């Protein structure tokens, strides 16, 4: 049973919600960690409506005490968590000359410090169980993207973090991989369209035109890859970055 207890951060909406629902459908008991208990409630309801088991746990992944308390709560209510999906994320886009200290610190804080704190808290249970699966959400922006020096740095950092986790934790039966999505239709990309002043439908059409498979991605496209990476049969895949972008990336 311990192999079937999963934590998904930022699981209240978007990609995190799709991953949580998919893992619930695949038989995992899922802890949806988001900023507040209320933020995760709809995802929990969706999992329960499909016959699954889920709880909502409120925590800011940047806060070490909140993270420790959240992971302890998961262990108490569901059992030792062995699957972790570090998905919580934010954007604070700006060209470098306009980027504030807070834009930088917030993005690095949620993505990098958040993933570090969550992983440090969960690996204790994974190494005890001699089994674990870690999936970190990177992005095609890791390869560089105008207006995203903070986000690109965080997402590239997550790739280095992932590879190091794979090296350190492999002997405990723990794998770590990153998913690097391209354009996925969520509130995050809707907010970007609004920021640049392009109607979301036009923004999506423009993105789709540049994607080899001819469409933008959906949260379920990412969830399907996460479902494979956290499965027992994926045990020989570790330290990889899988681009889920409708076409190749370098
Ligand atoms: P989203 O719709 O904005 O959802 C992000 C979730 O993370 C929200 O539920 C948010 O909570 C939560 N969150 C933010 N800060 C948090 C914190 N400090 N502690 C706990 N939870 C926090 O974003 P998304 O598009 O689904 O993106 C999910 C992940 O995929 C992110 O890491 C993102 O960078 C990555 N990604 C997305 C795309 C894309 O095209 N959408 C592409 C590549 C990578 P609140 O709702 O309460 O604020």
């Amino acid at each position: 049973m311990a192999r079937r207890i999963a934590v998904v951060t930022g699981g209240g909406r978007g990609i995190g919600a799709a991953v949580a629902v998919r893992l619930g459908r695949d038989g995992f008991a899922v802890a949806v960690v988001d900023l507040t208990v209320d933020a995760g409630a709809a995802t929990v309801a969706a999992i329960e409506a499909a016959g699954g088991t889920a709880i909502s746990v409120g925590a800011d992944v940047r806060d070490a005490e909140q993270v420790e308390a959240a992971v302890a709560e998961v262990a108490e209510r569901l059992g030792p968590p062995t699957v972790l999906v570090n998905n919580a994320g934010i954007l604070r886009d700006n060209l470098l000359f306009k980027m504030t200290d807070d834009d930088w610190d917030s993005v690095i804080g949620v993505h990098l410090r958040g993933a570090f704190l969550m992983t440090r808290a969960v690996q204790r249970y994974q190494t005890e169980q001699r089994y674990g699966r870690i999936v970190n959400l990177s992005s095609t922006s890791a390869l560089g993207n105008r207006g995203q020096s903070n986000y690109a740095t965080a997402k590239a950092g997550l790739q280095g973090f992932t590879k190091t986790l794979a090296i350190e934790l492999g002997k405990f039966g723990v794998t770590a991989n990153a998913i690097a999505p391209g354009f996925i239709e969520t509130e995050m990309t809707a907010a970007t369209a609004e920021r640049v002043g392009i109607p979301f439908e036009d923004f999506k059409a423009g993105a789709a035109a540049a994607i080899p498979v001819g469409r933008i991605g959906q949260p379920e496209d990412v969830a399907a890859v996460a479902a494979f990476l956290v499965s027992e049969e994926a045990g020989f895949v570790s330290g990889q970055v899988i681009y889920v972008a409708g076409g190749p990336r370098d």
Side-chain angles (χ1 to χ4, degrees):
M1 183 56 198
R3 295 187 172 204
R4 313 293 290 174
I5 296 164
V7 179
V8 181
T9 70
R13 65 170 198 236
I15 293 170
V19 170
V21 167
R22 171 64 194 254
L23 298 191
R25 200 177 89 198
D26 289 354
F28 289 87
V30 184
V32 177
V33 174
D34 212 297
L35 281 165
T36 62
V37 172
D38 282 355
T43 306
V44 168
I47 294 170
E48 288 176 343
T53 301
I55 60 170
S56 179
V57 180
D60 183 337
V61 296
R62 290 173 295 190
D63 185 300
E65 273 182 29
Q66 290 184 36
V67 164
E68 288 294 326
V71 173
E73 183 181 336
V74 174
E76 197 182 304
R77 292 174 65 189
L78 294 179
T82 49
V83 171
L84 171 64
V85 180
N86 283 309
N87 164 86
I90 60 167
L91 291 181
R92 294 287 183 274
D93 294 355
N94 248 328
L95 292 174
L96 184 65
F97 77 100
K98 286 195 280 190
M99 187 162 288
T100 66
D101 295 10
D102 191 55
D103 292 335
W104 180 269
D105 291 342
S106 300
V107 168
I108 299 296
V110 175
H111 296 270
L112 281 182
R113 180 176 164 81
F116 157 64
L117 292 175
M118 285 298 304
T119 307
R120 190 178 61 182
V122 169
Q123 60 79 33
R124 187 179 317 130
Y125 297 97
Q126 294 175 319
T127 52
E128 272 170 22
Q129 299 293 323
R130 317 247 359 137
Y131 180 84
R133 299 281 182 263
I134 299 166
V135 174
N136 296 318
L137 265 292
S138 179
S139 166
T140 51
S141 294
L143 301 166
N145 201 24
R146 183 179 165 81
Q148 292 195 318
S149 56
N150 50 0
Y151 186 78
T153 301
K155 293 308 199 185
L158 278 172
Q159 296 189 9
F161 182 57
T162 301
K163 292 174 191 193
T164 303
L165 295 176
I167 292 166
E168 289 191 17
L169 299 176
K171 67 178 174 205
F172 300 104
V174 179
T175 66
N177 292 284
I179 299 176
F183 191 114
I184 308 294
E185 182 172 4
T186 67
E187 286 185 38
M188 184 178 272
T189 38
T192 301
E194 197 174 332
R195 187 179 58 79
V196 298
I198 300 174
F200 195 33
E201 290 307 314
D202 297 349
F203 194 62
K204 288 189 289 182
I211 296 172
V213 300
R215 68 170 178 90
I216 58 164
Q218 295 299 322
E220 291 72 23
D221 290 314
V222 179
V225 179
F228 166 67
L229 291 173
V230 305
S231 69
E232 288 193 37
E233 67 183 350
F236 207 53
V237 180
S238 198
Q240 301 305 301
V241 179
I242 301 183
Y243 284 86
V244 179
R249 287 294 195 283
D250 290 335

